[in-house]
Amino acid sequence: MTTTSTHLHGMWPARRVNGNASESRILTIEAIDLCFDENGEAHHTDHYEMMSDPRVEQVRRRELVVRRGDSFMVRLLCNRAFDAQADTVVVTAHVEPFGSEKVSFGNGCMVHMALETQQPQTGGATDATEPQDWGATVVGSAAGQDGVKETITVAIFVPPGASVSRWNLAFNCRLDATNGKSSFEIPDPFYVLFNPWCKSDLVYLEDESARQEYVLNDSTMIWKSTPKDRGMHSWNVGQFEVDVLPCAMFIVGVTGRVSPTYRGNPVRVVRALSGALSTANGLGVLRGRWTGDYGGGTPPHGWSGSVKILQQFYNTDEPVQYGQCWVFAGVFLTVCRALGIPCRAVTAFECAHDTESSLTIDIFVDDSNSTVAEYSEDSVWNFHVWDEVWMRRPDLGIPRYDGWQVVDATPQEMSDGMFKLGPAPVASIKEGAINTLYDTDFVYSEVNADKIYWSIDGSGNMHPTPLLMDTGSIGQHLSTKAIGFNRREDVTDSYKFPEGSQKEREVMRSVVVQGCQRFSGTCVASKQLSPVTKAADHGHGIQLTLRASSEHVLGKPFGIELIVSNSSKSVHDVEGSINLKHSDYTGKHTELLRTVPFSVTVAAGQQVSIKETLNYSEYRSTKFDQTHIKAFCMASLKGDASKKLFVNSDFSLEIPSIEMKLETKSDGSMAVVAQLQNPLSIPLTDGRFIFEGSRFTKPLEIRFPKILENELIKAAYPIAKRGKKCSTIVSARFCANELKHVSGYHAFDLQ
């Protein structure tokens, strides 16, 4: 590809007057070797599919992926040897723009490098004296077999602050004696990523095992419903798969509208990404839906990874349907790891959604033991999944706020006029520095708010009375995948001090002072209480407790027990009712299943048990996922309705798992076989296994129109061998109209 160079616009250096005038041939580059294997290993990018040899069925060229803050190598096949006294070579690089993006020398997105001949600086990305600007250096040469042509090896240094974008690269040659010129441009742009191995990069992460987990691991675990093993669900991150990196670049530049100038700033990038993944702000990757009607798309519980979502969005330019918090978090994690930003998913149980910035979750209950939604939009999610990204925060000027930052792509509340959240330093959340950028106050409430139940009467009482003040249940068991193992790591201590400790009380008091909401007085009062759950105490010694009376397994009877205890020396008659409700995991959508009135006499120092059971036929509504049931109980002493008692509890039902194993046939072909037995007493309709596997395997969906009661079904996911050893995980989901949130995974090594 030899042409006359006309695009340098006066950036050529002056011609040498006393150079070697005996050379009459213009230096011409005839071919270029982008050294994919060498650069892939040196830059930790060899797993990207575009860096590997194309599959037999694919027609594509290999594309170079490198990390900034280090040099990458190219080899130029030239018509003759490079003569530093006769030739001037200017290497140009510029960002490949999206649409009408402005790319110029002034905004750092177009660079010109004079090819140098001195040896490159040693130490690469970790040397204290590393260069801070682009550079191109000849580091070797070799004569061709014909004795005429020459192969020149050039090291190109990408500075640690370079735009994380696709870059075009060209070599422009001039023979100083004649001013003759030629140029050669690589056929496809190369990708520049963030570099956690480079000390000068804002995303530098010192620990190698952490880099392997949070940047290079292409699978992870996400916790839902419960912080136990049965709540662990595998997620195929798939950051190296086909179209994922190009899609990530597109999302940042087009959907997120981050200009090339700022695409090297990880703070700007992740903040934009938090708003770009949802259609709540317009164009977005995923359309969120929490209503239970998922017609025209895949239900959120049907996704087993990010690859299919990103490939579909990239190839159709249309939002993918549908997502909920763990899906948004999984896709965000994939985009960050693809770009080189260390990222992990974190689940918070009993997570507050404080819509009023009051540091309280206010739930209003009327005389019929029903919650009144119009009084407050606050809610407590059974669980909520967000992400943490690792980076320095020079914009804050407080070094202790470097490190993990919360970013949430699930649209909940507006920030700067858009649905987005973060990056909020985890350290600032723990300290209660709620005015720290960005959105630290909201995350602080998610893990620290008080939960207060208020009683209102049918006459429109304008002065609700507190039924229950719970200062310790919000923000429990914050969970992420452990480094190097498929098990849970608890990170609650990084978000807050132990509940009820003196330090936790001090932080909350400082937070209240910083706030400006009208409910602050309520918050102050409630925070003076001890951190245990406190009910209204009228001096009668009656207490209510709700607990499970049976093992809660989906498809089996659901049993609960109300215990009415009397610690006084008097006999009391207690009357009230228990409400059992279906609920989604956000706690916002509920449906009454049954009201159970009761009236009991409790002797002094005694307790009375009231048991209630729901058969599966009573809670099998397909409008809900059937795994979350809320129980509310309001009671009073007979003849004195003013002395109200209240208790509530949320219950999660255990769901089955998919059994998976690797099978090898006699011909050497391999497949992961998944099986599931229908656990319900009714047939399943529109059933489907959905698979995603890491390392060069394609998403697959296998349908089962009808599955009878107790029927065992199987599906096989073929595994493609790649000729080299690697570890892989196959993630699977099963969903049907009557059964949701069923998952499984199988981890194994490919030889």
Side-chain angles (χ1 to χ4, degrees), residues 10 13 16 59 146-147 320 356 371 375 396 400 489 492 528 530 574 608 611 646 712:
R16 295 181 181 84
V59 180
D146 58 5
V320 179
E356 292 129 359
T371 56
Y375 272 58
L396 301 179
R400 68 178 181 276
E489 178 185 347
T492 307
Q528 305 312 311
S530 62
V574 182
V608 174
K611 293 184 177 181
F646 182 79
L712 180 69

Side-chain angles (χ1 to χ4, degrees), residues 214 270 329 332-333 336-337 341-347 385-391 403-408 423-426 429 478-480 491-492 494-495:
Y214 302 132
V270 299
F332 182 92
L333 186 149
C336 283
R337 289 190 186 177
I341 301 173
C343 185
R344 65 186 185 183
V346 174
T347 302
V385 188
W386 59 66
D387 293 284
E388 289 178 357
V389 292
W390 180 276
M391 64 182 64
W404 289 117
Q405 319 282 318
V406 173
V407 185
D408 194 348
V426 173
I429 297 165
L478 277 85
S479 306
T480 191
V491 294
T492 307
S494 66
Y495 279 82

Side-chain angles (χ1 to χ4, degrees), residues 186-246:
I186 63 174
D188 298 292
F190 69 98
Y191 291 78
V192 173
L193 309 183
F194 292 100
N195 190 355
W197 285 264
C198 172
K199 288 184 177 180
S200 296
D201 198 310
L202 292 178
V203 303
Y204 172 68
L205 184 56
E206 184 176 11
D207 182 60
E208 177 60 23
S209 62
R211 292 191 291 245
Q212 293 292 324
E213 181 67 52
Y214 302 132
V215 181
L216 298 183
N217 196 345
D218 58 0
S219 64
T220 194
M221 297 291 163
I222 296 176
W223 274 259
K224 300 192 296 181
S225 298
T226 173
K228 300 178 182 179
D229 287 347
R230 65 183 176 88
M232 183 174 69
H233 297 257
S234 64
W235 187 264
N236 180 37
V237 180
Q239 69 268 38
F240 307 124
E241 303 295 326
V242 175
D243 290 338
V244 169
L245 178 56

Side-chain angles (χ1 to χ4, degrees), residues 342-362:
C343 185
R344 65 186 185 183
V346 174
T347 302
F349 291 91
E350 292 297 301
C351 182
H353 182 174
D354 179 14
T355 62
E356 292 129 359
S357 299
S358 62
L359 297 177
T360 60
I361 301 301
D362 300 293

